[in-house]
Amino acid sequence: MPLHVPPAPAPALRSVLTALGSPTAVREARTPSLLRAQGPVTPELPLPVHVLDGVDASGIPVTRLSGWRFLIRCGDRAVAAAETMLTPDGWAFSHFFEGPYIASTELALRQAETMTQPCQPRLLSIPRLYMLTLWLHGDCAADGAAGRPAGTDLLVPLAPAPPGIAAHRPHRVADLLPVLTHRATPAPLLSSPA
């Protein structure tokens, strides 16, 4: 099943293309894979990055769009990623990076392509758990920059995942969200004896 990748805002893509064309931006990124890339590099697979800020009183996840992430491809594989952010002046390049989430994102996207149900890929970050997931949204026509995870949407934890949560295993939001919320909730402070 082909994934329905939402279109990135044109200014976000332009900012990444400009950064890729700037030797200073690439050199200062200090991403060895990008510096060693032989041949042309291209931004692909723009994914909106949403942050899970918590769950409201009725159990609905509260998320916000934090940017767009582009995998930077050289040849047949992604060698880095570029992140954009929304500023008061519009979309702007933020930074290049590399690491385990690049290959993990590619693997999760390949796995998602084998699923029978059509979906729109997004990324969902859970900062309190240092966790990133591929969010497979069931509404393929939705605006990728808006919305909340539906109970039937799938979350695929990317590697490295927190202990006890298997990477690359799809979970329904309704099943995984309570576990994540419980883990992300700070323990109450113990009171001292009077």
Side-chain angles (χ1 to χ4, degrees):
M1 166 226 45
L3 296 174
H4 298 270
V5 178
L13 176 58
R14 278 194 305 270
S15 72
V16 171
L17 290 169
T18 300
L20 282 171
S22 165
T24 304
V26 172
R27 190 171 41 256
E28 289 178 2
R30 292 189 171 84
T31 53
S33 295
L34 192 55
L35 289 169
R36 290 189 309 263
Q38 298 295 315
V41 291
T42 55
E44 294 182 353
L45 290 169
L47 297 173
V49 181
H50 295 263
V51 176
L52 178 67
D53 287 325
V55 177
D56 69 14
S58 60
I60 296 173
V62 177
T63 61
R64 62 184 162 79
L65 180 69
S66 67
W68 283 80
R69 180 172 297 173
F70 297 78
L71 293 179
I72 306 300
R73 185 164 304 283
C74 180
D76 62 347
R77 67 182 190 93
V79 296
E83 192 98 7
T84 62
M85 62 183 181
L86 189 57
T87 69
D89 295 325
W91 287 99
F93 171 75
S94 174
H95 62 281
F96 291 116
F97 65 94
E98 60 183 67
Y101 286 134
I102 308 299
S104 188
T105 300
E106 278 193 306
L107 175 59
L109 287 166
R110 280 194 307 271
Q111 289 174 323
E113 287 176 341
T114 67
M115 295 180 179
T116 57
Q117 180 181 348
C119 58
Q120 182 188 85
R122 304 170 174 198
L123 293 172
L124 181 65
S125 173
I126 301 105
R128 286 190 171 175
L129 297 177
Y130 301 100
M131 182 178 183
L132 185 64
T133 68
L134 179 64
W135 166 17
L136 301 173
H137 190 52
D139 183 359
C140 297
D143 177 0
R148 298 178 176 188
T152 55
D153 287 352
L154 295 176
L155 295 177
V156 182
L158 300 180
I165 296 176
H168 298 285
R169 182 172 165 236
H171 301 270
R172 284 178 2 128
V173 167
D175 298 333
L176 186 59
L177 192 60
V179 173
L180 300 178
T181 303
H182 176 72
R183 285 189 176 197
T185 304
L189 297 174
L190 298 175
S191 60
S192 59

